[in-house]
């Protein structure tokens, strides 16, 4: 027999429909893995994309096992909403107690599939000093890691993947209405991390609605189209795409460039290809980053499977 919704339930549902924020799908990593697998064959980075697919698959297994994390208490959530602070702030956060276990689980699962250049470093993870791993994880959360050591460089995507599992589990513990609104900028309203890219989704009315995808917790926040995400400028925004030998290559991905702050953030479109994933399609179009870099723009997106010295 159908039951009536309480006034609180009605308010929550209305709130979530109106919210400019989206929580991640509980199957987000499985979706990424599938997209990465489909992008790998014939790609110049085929081995790495296939490895990234394995890593995303392992992330999904751990996320399923972990389930949504208990959210911060109601008073804390209210304070965050009132002051526009991310409730899962990544910058100054302590690492969850079982972080190291998540990292080691990922390493054990993916090491047989790792490309030659990464295999030895991942296999040697248990011998790597824990304090250095934790320092590296905190630096990645703050976005100021300084990677010149080749072993740290090889381990960084694995550390990034473990942090994604923890923050996505935490995001899944929230309700959409727990996330502050009124943001159209370059920081995730749920965790404060930078975006990986933006995505045009098909809205209820059938037209494209643009969201920005968080590089860490996979939440998404709405930003109007034709607008620079880092600086909010709307003038002189331009788009660059990859040209293949026979016409446009990777048609669903373009780089949105801003003449004011010289930033470039990718925009992937479900209108062009319903299977796109902001994270996976970003990783598969690094040649587009080189193109916009040569034109004088700086990459604003952050991909936690990709670290450069
Ligand atoms: Zn986030
Ligand atoms: Zn800008």
């Amino acid at each position: 027999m159908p039951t009536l919704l309480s006034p609180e339930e009605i308010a929550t549902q209305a709130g979530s429909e109106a919210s400019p924020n989206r929580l991640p799908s509980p199957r987000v990593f499985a979706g990424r893995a599938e997209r990465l697998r489909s992008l790998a064959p014939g790609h110049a980075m085929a081995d790495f994309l296939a490895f990234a697919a394995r890593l995303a698959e392992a992330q999904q297994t751990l996320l399923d096992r972990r389930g949504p994390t208990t959210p911060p208490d109601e008073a804390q959530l209210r304070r965050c909403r009132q002051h526009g602070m991310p409730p899962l702030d990544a910058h100054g956060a302590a690492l969850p107690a079982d972080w190291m276990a998540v990292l080691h689980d990922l390493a054990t699962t993916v090491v047989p599939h790792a490309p030659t250049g990464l295999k030895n470093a991942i296999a040697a993870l248990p011998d790597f000093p824990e304090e250095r791993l934790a320092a590296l994880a905190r630096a990645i959360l703050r976005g100021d890691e300084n990677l010149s050591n080749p072993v740290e460089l090889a381990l960084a995507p694995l550390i990034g993947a473990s942090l994604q599992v923890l923050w996505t589990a935490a995001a899944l513990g929230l309700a959409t209405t727990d996330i502050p609104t009124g943001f159209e900028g370059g920081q995730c309203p749920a965790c404060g991390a930078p975006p990986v890219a933006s995505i045009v989704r098909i809205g209820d009315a059938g037209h494209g609605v643009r969201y920005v995808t968080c590089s860490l917790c996979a939440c998404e926040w709405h930003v109007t189209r034709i607008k620079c995400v880092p600086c909010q400028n709307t003038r002189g925004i331009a788009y660059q795409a990859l040209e293949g030998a026979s016409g446009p290559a990777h048609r669903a991905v373009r780089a949105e460039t801003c003449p004011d702050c010289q930033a470039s953030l990718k925009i992937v479109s479900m209108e062009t290809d319903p299977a796109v994933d902001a994270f996976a399609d970003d990783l598969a179009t690094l040649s587009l980053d080189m193109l916009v870099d040569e034109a004088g723009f700086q990459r604003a997106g952050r991909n936690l499977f990709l670290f450069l010295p």
Side-chain angles (χ1 to χ4, degrees), residues 50-224:
F51 169 67
R54 295 278 192 174
L55 189 49
E57 226 167 57
Q59 286 178 295
Q60 185 66 54
T61 305
L62 288 179
L63 181 69
D64 290 344
R65 204 185 299 161
R66 190 175 187 84
T69 309
T70 310
D73 64 46
E74 188 45 48
Q76 171 68 5
L77 288 172
R78 196 171 340 115
R79 264 197 303 278
C80 287
R81 278 196 306 272
Q82 277 166 356
H83 300 290
M85 298 183 316
L88 310 174
D89 187 22
H91 290 253
L95 290 166
D98 62 342
W99 165 68
M100 200 65 77
V102 172
L103 178 65
H104 282 285
D105 264 359
L106 284 177
T108 312
T109 313
V110 300
V111 72
H113 312 288
T116 329
L118 300 179
K119 206 177 208 121
N120 289 343
I122 298 177
L125 182 73
D127 306 323
F128 204 80
E130 290 200 358
E131 325 74 80
R132 269 177 73 194
L133 287 172
L136 199 50
R138 282 192 294 268
I140 289 172
L141 288 173
R142 287 193 308 269
D144 67 356
E145 71 280 353
N146 181 7
L147 299 172
S148 50
N149 174 324
V151 178
E152 291 188 355
L153 211 50
L155 292 177
L158 219 60
I159 297 174
S162 68
L163 298 172
Q164 284 178 332
V165 171
L166 298 171
W167 259 266
T168 302
L172 289 169
L174 297 178
T176 319
T177 45
D178 293 332
I179 305 173
T181 55
F183 288 83
E184 284 217 351
Q187 260 114 46
C188 171
C191 78
V196 58
S198 69
I199 181 164
V200 176
R201 297 185 170 277
I202 315 295
D204 293 341
H207 58 268
V209 182
R210 195 255 286 257
Y211 291 90
V212 182
T213 308
C214 176
S215 59
L216 181 64
C217 77
C219 280
E220 294 184 349
W221 62 103
H222 175 255
V223 177
T224 10

Side-chain angles (χ1 to χ4, degrees), residues 227-233 237 257-263:
K227 182 177 198 172
C228 172
V229 173
C231 86
Q232 323 267 297
N233 164 46
I237 302 293
T257 58
C258 170
D260 265 22
C261 71
Q262 297 289 307

